[in-house]
Amino acid sequence: MTSKNEVTPLLDAFMDSPEIEEIIAFPTEVIRKVAEGLGDVMEKAYHKPMQQWNADRIKGALAAIMPSDNATPDEEEVFETHYSIWRALLVHLAYEGKIPLTPKTLQPVLDEYEWVNGLSDDDDAYDDDDDPMWDMDINEDPSLPEWRESVYDDIQGYVDDWLHAFFISPAWRNHPKNGPELEQDFLEDMIHEMVDEGYNEYRKTPKSWSKAVLQKIYIRLGSTLNMSPGEWVFAVQDTKAFFTFLKQKNLLPAKRATDYLRYLEEASSALFDATEAGPETPADNDAVNQAVMQRLAAKGVDISDEGAIRMALQEMIKSGELNELLESMPVDQESDADDDGGDAALLASLDDPAQRDHLLDQADPDTKHTYLTTPHTPVLAGRKWQKKTATEVHRFAIETGIRLWMAGSQYTLPNGWLGGDVIGTVVNMMDMQYANFLLQPKEWTADPIYQMGRLMGQLDPSEGAQDILTVISAMLAFLTARGVLSQTTGAALTGALRDGFSGKEFAAPATKPGKVISFADAKKKKKK
């Protein structure tokens, strides 16, 4: 039981948090008073500590400020002010771990409340399907294993990782596409549909699909979409390219991935039967669709006859002719790149300001920008945490991770690690150094790196600490070679990292700070 307002001692941190930007228009004294009001309501209604403010209790508190049906405009304005401030405070508390809800589990509570009270800009903004526990179509056959949210979330997590790794790989960049951005979204949705149905209907994960389950899912999915034969060519080839990638990167056992590819090949004919094939003329920019239609016409197929098209496509799939046609097509010049460490097109994109931001957004492992909302040191040694600097460090980290991965043949990286793994490790490390010590890479010193090494050394071996050490060591060598760190500093930081990891006592070395230098300037310097 609690008898005090637990919000009061947290107000200063709340007023200095990123969430305050959402309500900055309100006077400070109003924000503090209204925020304290949430603590008062929770204490009087439940007498429970903040760590027990669960979804039901938060809903109860929010219900206390709901306006009546005949509320005046002034009363409506007061309500909206209270809710705006309480919402920002609750989001802040969720990010700080002060309440049992995470930002993800808090969001459906807020969405429902806003939808009920007309606070959402979109009448359809609240969607129960956003939360797997709300109205999900789950097969409850007692002969099946119990459906578990933890298993569902785990599947979603590693499938997202697989897709992220695939979309930044040469396997996807060099793959013929029909509108790359739309096609990426489509493939992502399609894979998630397959994954969801596999677990919700059959309790099978992507690592345990049977032939019957995979083919049922794939063919049913095909029957629900209205696509031209040329568009289904892309759907089939993209899905197979994804599973081929998983096989090549050992993300799925080789035999299982090979079986999946065979099952998909066998299902393709049935899939075309299930699709609304049409005689439409291919768009001028749909190179593959156009090539397929030209090949059919050359065979004497009447491309105005829907049935003839479908039958001919089935024969091309069975004979392997369709696959040969696609492989013979030239790669899109915009994505033409080497598959080895020196991917010229990708590096050129990083050097082009017009393309760089888009590429960094695509490769960002922290799509929700939690690096801006996680706890951080506000002031240290005359330095102050700044959102702008945190963002610059984060973006620099993504670029460093990409470049390190592309230069992998020159540095030691863990076996089996994908580009996304390397990028994520580099980003986590740089974000952590700035959040804890307010240091940008060019300002790094031995002591904070040593402390990080000690924390890594205390991890359980199963958590991959040795691999993380390998990546960060490679990153320090890479930044030194680029001139971001001086030779002296690079060597000192590497030594401090390894000493911390092995548990040796820290001995402060003499270091020479690196110059403020961009990758572009470093590249020019290297050529001299």
Side-chain angles (χ1 to χ4, degrees), residues 20 28 44 62 65 67 71 79 97 143 165 168 220 226 309 336 350 364 401 404 424 438 446 452 479 497 507-508:
I20 210 71
T28 300
K44 291 175 182 176
L62 292 173
I65 60 169
F79 159 66
S143 66
I168 65 173
R220 185 210 58 79
N226 184 20
I309 290 174
D336 187 17
L350 285 173
D364 192 346
L404 174 60
L438 307 184
M452 183 179 64
L479 293 178
L497 177 72

Side-chain angles (χ1 to χ4, degrees), residues 34 67 72 119 307 318:
V34 172
T72 66
L119 296 173
K318 289 178 182 177

Side-chain angles (χ1 to χ4, degrees), residues 262-373:
R262 188 174 74 255
Y263 301 159
L264 291 173
E265 189 73 40
E266 292 173 3
S268 295
S269 295
L271 185 150
F272 275 107
D273 272 338
T275 305
E276 289 289 331
E280 61 185 44
T281 301
D284 291 339
N285 65 347
D286 183 350
V288 173
N289 197 13
Q290 192 169 17
V292 170
M293 290 303 181
Q294 288 174 349
R295 177 66 64 88
L296 293 176
K299 287 173 167 289
V301 176
D302 182 357
I303 60 173
S304 66
D305 185 336
E306 173 182 331
I309 290 174
R310 190 187 299 112
M311 290 179 63
L313 281 171
Q314 289 174 8
E315 289 302 318
M316 288 178 70
I317 291 170
K318 289 178 182 177
S319 67
E321 182 181 357
L322 181 59
N323 193 52
E324 290 177 7
L325 173 63
L326 293 174
E327 290 180 350
S328 70
M329 293 187 65
V331 176
D332 185 355
Q333 292 301 313
E334 289 186 0
S335 61
D336 187 17
D338 298 328
D339 284 353
D340 58 19
D343 189 327
L346 183 58
L347 295 178
S349 297
L350 285 173
D351 291 333
D352 180 359
Q355 300 181 59
R356 179 177 177 273
D357 285 343
H358 177 66
L359 180 59
L360 295 186
D361 288 340
Q362 277 194 318
D364 192 346
D366 185 5
T367 56
K368 295 189 177 179
H369 299 163
T370 59
Y371 69 94
L372 294 175
T373 55

Side-chain angles (χ1 to χ4, degrees), residues 78-116:
V78 169
F79 159 66
E80 291 182 12
T81 299
H82 274 69
Y83 176 69
S84 298
I85 295 172
W86 282 18
R87 185 189 197 285
L89 175 61
L90 287 167
V91 171
H92 170 70
L93 295 177
Y95 273 117
E96 295 295 318
K98 302 295 185 182
I99 58 178
L101 278 69
T102 65
K104 181 179 179 180
T105 55
L106 173 65
Q107 192 61 50
V109 176
L110 301 177
D111 286 346
E112 178 186 13
Y113 186 79
E114 291 170 12
W115 182 76
V116 168

Side-chain angles (χ1 to χ4, degrees), residues 347 403 407 410-411 477-484 487 517-528:
L347 295 178
R403 289 182 182 271
Q410 304 170 43
Y411 299 92
F478 176 78
L479 293 178
T480 301
R482 287 278 170 177
V484 178
Q487 292 286 341
I517 185 169
S518 68
F519 272 118
D521 291 339
K523 188 175 181 182
K524 293 176 185 176
K525 179 180 177 182
K526 194 174 181 181
K527 287 182 178 179
K528 290 182 179 178

Side-chain angles (χ1 to χ4, degrees), residues 118-239:
L119 296 173
S120 172
D121 293 333
D122 183 355
D123 289 340
D124 297 323
Y126 172 63
D127 184 356
D128 289 348
D129 290 338
D130 290 342
D131 188 329
M133 292 302 292
W134 290 72
D135 242 2
M136 181 176 280
D137 187 11
I138 298 171
N139 185 350
E140 298 181 354
D141 186 336
S143 66
L144 291 172
E146 180 185 1
W147 188 96
R148 294 182 180 274
E149 185 176 10
S150 59
V151 175
Y152 178 89
D153 288 342
D154 180 60
I155 295 170
Q156 296 296 319
Y158 67 69
V159 169
D160 280 339
D161 290 343
W162 288 353
L163 287 164
H164 179 75
F166 178 57
F167 289 139
I168 65 173
S169 73
W172 175 252
R173 293 197 310 276
N174 295 349
H175 188 62
K177 301 177 187 67
N178 178 22
E181 292 184 9
L182 288 175
E183 194 168 337
Q184 178 171 326
D185 290 342
F186 174 78
L187 178 59
E188 192 167 7
D189 289 344
M190 189 169 183
I191 295 298
H192 274 296
E193 284 281 339
M194 294 170 66
V195 169
D196 285 355
E197 182 167 346
Y199 184 64
N200 294 341
E201 182 67 22
Y202 304 104
R203 302 297 188 274
K204 294 289 186 180
T205 77
K207 299 177 182 179
S208 65
W209 285 330
S210 66
K211 177 179 180 179
V213 166
L214 180 56
Q215 292 188 342
K216 282 179 183 178
I217 294 170
Y218 201 54
I219 294 171
R220 185 210 58 79
L221 184 60
S223 69
T224 64
L225 299 174
N226 184 20
M227 302 180 72
S228 71
E231 288 171 324
W232 263 123
V233 168
F234 283 105
V236 173
Q237 294 302 313
D238 289 353
T239 309

Side-chain angles (χ1 to χ4, degrees), residues 434-462:
Y434 186 70
N436 292 339
F437 304 103
L438 307 184
L439 293 173
Q440 302 177 55
K442 62 180 180 286
E443 302 167 332
W444 285 344
T445 57
D447 188 19
I449 300 294
Y450 173 84
Q451 298 299 332
M452 183 179 64
R454 282 198 65 182
L455 290 173
M456 289 163 48
Q458 294 167 4
L459 293 174
D460 186 279
S462 65

